[in-house]
Amino acid sequence: MRAHVSKKTLSEGLGMLERVIPSRSSNPLLTAIKVDAEGRGLTLSGTNLEIDLSCFVPAEISEAASFVVPAHLFAQIVRNLGGELVELELSGAELAVRASGSDFKLQTGDLSAYPELSFPGTADATLDAAELSRSLSSVRYAASNEAFQAVFRGLKVEQHASKARVVASDGFRLALREFSVIGEPRSLIVPARSADELVRVLRDGDARLSFSEGMLGVTTDRVRMNVKLLDGDFPDYERVIPKDIKLRVTLPAAALKEAVSRVAVLADKNANNRVEFLISEGTLRLAAEGDYGRAQDTLTVQQEGSEPAMSLGFNAKYVLDALGPIEGDAELLFSGSTSPAMFKGSGDAGYLAVVVPLRV
Amino acid sequence: MRAHVSKKTLSEGLGMLERVIPSRSSNPLLTAIKVDAEGRGLTLSGTNLEIDLSCFVPAEISEAASFVVPAHLFAQIVRNLGGELVELELSGAELAVRASGSDFKLQTGDLSAYPELSFPGTADATLDAAELSRSLSSVRYAASNEAFQAVFRGLKVEQHASKARVVASDGFRLALREFSVIGEPRSLIVPARSADELVRVLRDGDARLSFSEGMLGVTTDRVRMNVKLLDGDFPDYERVIPKDIKLRVTLPAAALKEAVSRVAVLADKNANNRVEFLISEGTLRLAAEGDYGRAQDTLTVQQEGSEPAMSLGFNAKYVLDALGPIEGDAELLFSGSTSPAMFKGSGDAGYLAVVVPLRV
C-alpha cells in the first residue's frame, strides 16, 4: 500500500479521532487507530467502547490495505511534518511516513485483534448538524458528572409535539432545548460525555440519525459515529417546570451574568455560593455575604406580574450556568420565593432553564 | 480615607502583586496586600518572603490612611467591577469598594501585624529594564528547579570585562547572556523563581539596581522590588565552554527546532530522549529510535572546520531549550563527539548555550 494525502486534511481527521481514542488503556489495542486505505481515500476509525468514530480522508491510493498504529503517536508525527503532502507506505509490519526531509518508520499493531466497528447505512431521521450540536451543548451543563443515578449523567432526547427536545437535569436544576427534525426521533438517553464528543465533531450540513438496540448512529458528510445509549427511565421533569408565573423580570443577560459573577466573589463557598435576588420597583438587587465581607449590586429591570416584590436565594454557579446559552435579553420567571424559577432567552422559544432556589 | 482611582490602573497594579503574594499561607497575613493611600496615589505592596514588591497607582486621595486586605479577593473584586472609576472608602475596619451599581464591604486585616517592607532609595547600577528581563529569561531554562545544590537553582550575575553577564547551569548544560550596565554590578546569585517574577514585572525604561547584604533591590518607574539572594559559590563554568572548535554548522534555528521536535516524538523517553546528530558533507541528519519505530530528518547546513564529519547524541529537550532564545540562524560549534557543544545565535554575541552530549 502506498498513499499520498494532504497533511492538513489527514491531520484534521487524526485530531478528531484523537479526542475519542484513549491515550492509555489496559487494552493497548484501544489506543490504536485503524486505517483502511482503499479506493479514493483513507478511512480512519477508533473507539473508546462508548463511542465508535470513523472519518474519511481523501487520498491517492495504490494497492488497498488496512493497518493499525498507535493513534496519538501517529497524529503527533503527522502534525509535526513539514511540507504539504504526506506519503504513507506499508511494507510488512512497518508503516513509513514521509514528507520533505523526514522519514519515519512506525511499527503497526495486530490488525486481526482490532475490534470490528460497523456503522449503520440507513437514516431514520435527519436534522441540521449545527443545530443538534448547539442543542446538546446548551443543556449539557445541567447533566451530572457523578450522580448515583445513571440517567442524570445523560441527555434525554425525545419527540415533543412537532419538535424534538433534549433535556438534562441533575435533580437540582434542569435545562431543555427544542429543535427541528425530519423524521421521528426515538426517545433515548445519550451519555453526557458522549454528547460532548458529538458537540466537538458535528459542524455543518446534515446529521443523519439511525436507531438500533441500545445504540444511536450519527452520520455526516465527514464522519460516522455510534454512541452507546444509557438505559433507564428519565424522571418526569415536566412537573418541575413552573406554570403559574407571578413575576417576570427582563434584562440584558450579559449584565446579569457580570453582576452575579461580581457579587459571587464574596459569597460563602460553604453555603452553596448563595446570592440573594431581591426584586421590587423595577430593580433587581443582588446581594452576597461571606467570611470576608458583603457585596451588593443593583440592576434596572423591566418588571411585570401580579406580585409586586419577591426575594429568592440561588447558587450563583447554577444561575451563571442557566444564563450561559442566553444571548441578548434574559427573562426570569418566578412563581414564588421557594418555587423553581425559569430562565429563558427573550424571544427564543427553544431554550429553557429551571433552577430550584436555596432554602432560607 | 477616600480614594478615587482608575479601575484599569488599579487592576493592573493588583495583577502584578497577585503574582507574588501567595494565595494560601500558614501565615494568613502573607496573603494580604498592604495599601498606603497618601499624597498622589496608592502604594500597593506585598511579599512572599523571597521577594517584596511595591507598586504605585495614581489616585485622588482625601485623608491619608493605610490598610491590609486579602490580596486575591480584592484583586478579583476590582477586576470584575463595571465602569471606569473605582471609589475606595475606609470606615473603621471596613473597606468599601464602589463602582457603578456595585457596593462591596471588605473586612480589613491587622495592619500592625503586617511585616515592615522597606525599599532602597539609592542606585548602584542602572540598565535597560527590557534587556535585563530578556537576559534573565533567556538563560532561565538552564537553572534547576530541584537540584540538591542551591546555587544550581539560581542565576549568577557578574561583571565580565566591560559587560555584565548572567549564567545558569544545572550541571548538564549551561546558558549565559551578556548585557550592558552603567555602574559595576556586584557578583550575586538570584533564585531562579525570583528571576521569573522579575521577568514578569520588568518592562520598559530603566531598572536601577541596589546592592545590600544578601539582597538585591530593583527599582523602575512603576515598581520597587527586593529580592533575597542565594548564598554559595557558583561553580567555575568557564572550563566547560569549549575553546577548540573543530566543526561549525550554521542553519536556520526555526528549521532545526522543528526537525528536532519531529524526530523526538519517536525518541526513547527512558534513554534521555536521545536524538543523534550526524554531520557530514553539508547535511545534518537527525535520527531517533524508540519502542514504536524510528525517525530520520535531513537538513542542509553550512559546514566549516577541520573535521569533515562528526556524530553526537543529545537529549532532545536540552537542544530545544538551548535553541529557544535564538532567532534567525543558529551556529552549532563542536569540538568532539564526547565534548560539550556550543549553540549560539549567528551574529548575536550575547547569548551562548553549552550542552553536554549523551554517552554512546
Side-chain angles (χ1 to χ4, degrees):
Chain A
M1 189 283 303
R2 184 178 291 193
H4 289 93
V5 52
S6 137
K7 182 200 145 183
K8 185 163 172 284
T9 321
L10 178 57
S11 206
E12 278 171 7
L14 290 171
M16 232 178 321
L17 267 299
E18 267 199 296
R19 294 187 170 280
V20 169
I21 298 173
S23 53
R24 283 149 191 268
S25 167
S26 55
N27 178 356
L29 258 184
L30 289 183
T31 65
I33 191 168
K34 187 184 173 208
V35 180
D36 297 293
E38 193 183 13
R40 298 168 66 174
L42 307 168
T43 302
L44 315 173
S45 32
T47 182
N48 60 16
L49 300 183
E50 293 294 317
I51 295 189
D52 307 333
L53 177 64
S54 160
C55 156
F56 181 77
V57 175
E60 258 178 51
I61 310 283
S62 62
E63 288 179 57
S66 295
F67 56 90
V68 296
V69 278
H72 296 275
L73 212 57
F74 185 38
Q76 210 182 339
I77 288 169
V78 172
R79 208 163 33 232
N80 288 344
L81 288 173
E84 290 176 8
L85 202 67
V86 178
E87 179 183 84
L88 304 176
E89 187 179 16
L90 189 68
S91 44
E94 218 171 51
L95 176 72
V97 184
R98 297 192 194 100
S100 61
S102 307
D103 188 349
F104 286 73
K105 299 283 191 312
L106 212 49
Q107 298 298 324
T108 64
D110 182 358
L111 181 64
S112 64
Y114 195 80
E116 183 79 25
L117 307 178
S118 75
F119 297 90
T122 59
D124 299 312
T126 303
L127 72 168
D128 183 67
E131 195 177 353
L132 176 57
S133 171
R134 176 172 171 237
S135 301
L136 295 173
S137 68
S138 52
V139 305
R140 165 59 175 98
Y141 71 84
S144 172
N145 286 318
E146 65 230 353
F148 179 69
Q149 272 187 277
V151 290
F152 282 142
R153 297 194 301 262
L155 273 54
K156 173 86 180 292
V157 180
E158 61 187 16
Q159 187 76 12
H160 188 83
S162 67
K163 291 276 198 170
R165 191 184 249 197
V166 57
V167 191
S169 175
D170 60 5
F172 301 99
R173 54 191 170 158
L174 176 113
L176 73 81
R177 187 184 281 278
E178 295 190 336
F179 55 95
S180 304
V181 171
I182 298 165
E184 286 242 331
R186 239 176 265 177
S187 224
L188 49 86
I189 305 174
V190 179
R193 287 176 202 279
S194 300
D196 294 339
E197 298 304 329
L198 279 166
V199 167
R200 286 199 189 101
V201 165
L202 293 169
R203 301 266 171 87
D204 316 323
D206 278 351
R208 295 176 291 283
L209 308 183
S210 319
F211 308 109
S212 57
E213 189 58 33
M215 195 73 91
L216 169 68
V218 183
T219 309
T220 72
D221 290 345
R222 299 191 309 153
V223 296
R224 293 182 297 168
M225 251 191 289
N226 289 322
V227 179
K228 202 187 258 183
L229 298 174
L230 281 176
D231 252 352
D233 291 321
F234 205 78
D236 173 20
Y237 63 85
E238 291 270 4
R239 63 183 171 74
V240 304
I241 300 177
K243 305 284 180 291
D244 178 21
I245 303 305
K246 294 184 176 131
L247 184 59
R248 177 204 307 259
V249 157
T250 308
L251 79 167
L256 180 55
K257 285 179 212 176
E258 281 168 24
V260 171
S261 306
R262 203 143 58 207
V263 301
V265 171
L266 284 184
D268 191 344
K269 310 285 171 285
N270 300 318
N272 297 308
N273 286 299
R274 185 187 187 97
V275 171
E276 302 294 335
F277 278 56
L278 301 111
I279 304 122
S280 78
E281 295 173 359
T283 64
L284 165 58
R285 198 149 57 86
L286 304 174
E289 193 168 348
D291 289 345
Y292 298 99
R294 50 198 200 282
Q296 187 177 293
D297 230 280
T298 310
L299 297 161
T300 302
V301 300
Q302 193 183 319
Q303 180 181 343
E304 295 159 79
S306 58
E307 291 272 323
M310 205 175 283
S311 142
L312 308 93
F314 290 107
N315 182 326
K317 186 186 174 321
Y318 285 10
V319 172
L320 291 173
D321 282 346
L323 292 170
I326 301 178
E327 288 166 13
D329 278 356
E331 274 180 26
L332 283 49
L333 303 145
F334 303 106
S335 61
S337 63
T338 57
S339 308
M342 256 195 300
F343 294 73
K344 290 172 111 160
S346 196
D348 168 12
Y351 172 75
L352 171 69
V354 178
V355 181
V356 178
L358 295 168
R359 287 160 197 236
V360 183
Chain B
M1 189 285 300
R2 184 178 292 193
H4 290 91
V5 52
S6 139
K7 182 200 144 182
K8 185 164 170 287
T9 321
L10 178 57
S11 208
E12 279 172 5
L14 290 171
M16 231 178 321
L17 267 299
E18 268 199 295
R19 294 186 169 281
V20 169
I21 299 173
S23 53
R24 283 148 190 269
S25 167
S26 55
N27 177 358
L29 257 184
L30 289 184
T31 66
I33 190 167
K34 186 181 174 211
V35 180
D36 297 293
E38 193 183 12
R40 299 168 67 174
L42 307 168
T43 302
L44 315 174
S45 32
T47 182
N48 61 15
L49 300 182
E50 293 294 319
I51 295 189
D52 307 332
L53 177 64
S54 160
C55 154
F56 182 77
V57 175
E60 260 179 49
I61 311 283
S62 62
E63 286 180 59
S66 295
F67 56 89
V68 295
V69 279
H72 296 275
L73 212 57
F74 185 38
Q76 209 182 340
I77 288 170
V78 171
R79 206 162 34 230
N80 288 342
L81 288 173
E84 290 176 8
L85 203 67
V86 178
E87 180 183 84
L88 304 177
E89 188 179 17
L90 189 68
S91 43
E94 218 171 51
L95 176 73
V97 184
R98 297 192 195 99
S100 61
S102 306
D103 189 350
F104 285 75
K105 300 283 193 310
L106 211 49
Q107 298 298 324
T108 63
D110 183 358
L111 181 64
S112 65
Y114 195 80
E116 183 81 26
L117 307 178
S118 75
F119 297 90
T122 58
D124 298 310
T126 302
L127 73 170
D128 183 66
E131 195 177 352
L132 176 58
S133 171
R134 176 170 170 241
S135 300
L136 295 173
S137 68
S138 53
V139 306
R140 165 63 175 95
Y141 70 83
S144 172
N145 287 317
E146 64 229 353
F148 177 70
Q149 270 187 277
V151 291
F152 282 142
R153 298 194 302 263
L155 272 53
K156 172 89 181 290
V157 180
E158 60 185 16
Q159 185 78 10
H160 189 82
S162 67
K163 290 274 198 170
R165 190 183 250 198
V166 57
V167 191
S169 175
D170 61 4
F172 301 100
R173 51 187 168 165
L174 175 111
L176 73 81
R177 187 184 277 281
E178 296 191 336
F179 55 96
S180 305
V181 171
I182 298 166
E184 285 244 330
R186 239 176 268 179
S187 222
L188 47 86
I189 305 174
V190 178
R193 287 177 202 279
S194 300
D196 294 340
E197 299 304 329
L198 279 167
V199 168
R200 288 199 187 98
V201 165
L202 293 170
R203 300 264 172 87
D204 315 325
D206 278 350
R208 293 176 292 283
L209 309 183
S210 319
F211 309 108
S212 57
E213 189 57 35
M215 194 75 89
L216 169 67
V218 183
T219 309
T220 72
D221 290 345
R222 301 190 309 153
V223 297
R224 291 182 299 170
M225 250 190 289
N226 289 324
V227 179
K228 203 188 257 184
L229 299 174
L230 281 176
D231 252 351
D233 290 320
F234 205 77
D236 172 21
Y237 63 86
E238 292 268 5
R239 65 184 169 74
V240 304
I241 300 178
K243 305 285 180 290
D244 178 23
I245 303 305
K246 296 187 176 128
L247 184 58
R248 176 204 308 259
V249 157
T250 308
L251 79 169
L256 180 56
K257 286 180 211 176
E258 282 167 24
V260 172
S261 306
R262 203 142 58 206
V263 301
V265 170
L266 285 185
D268 191 343
K269 309 286 171 283
N270 300 318
N272 297 308
N273 286 298
R274 185 187 186 96
V275 171
E276 301 294 335
F277 279 55
L278 301 110
I279 303 123
S280 78
E281 295 175 0
T283 65
L284 164 59
R285 199 149 57 85
L286 304 174
E289 193 167 352
D291 289 345
Y292 299 99
R294 52 197 199 283
Q296 188 177 293
D297 231 280
T298 309
L299 297 161
T300 302
V301 300
Q302 193 183 318
Q303 180 182 342
E304 295 158 79
S306 57
E307 292 272 322
M310 205 176 286
S311 143
L312 309 92
F314 289 107
N315 182 327
K317 187 184 173 322
Y318 285 9
V319 173
L320 291 173
D321 283 346
L323 292 170
I326 300 178
E327 289 166 11
D329 278 355
E331 273 179 27
L332 284 49
L333 303 145
F334 304 106
S335 60
S337 62
T338 56
S339 309
M342 255 194 301
F343 294 73
K344 290 171 111 163
S346 197
D348 169 12
Y351 172 74
L352 171 69
V354 177
V355 182
V356 178
L358 297 168
R359 286 162 198 235
V360 184

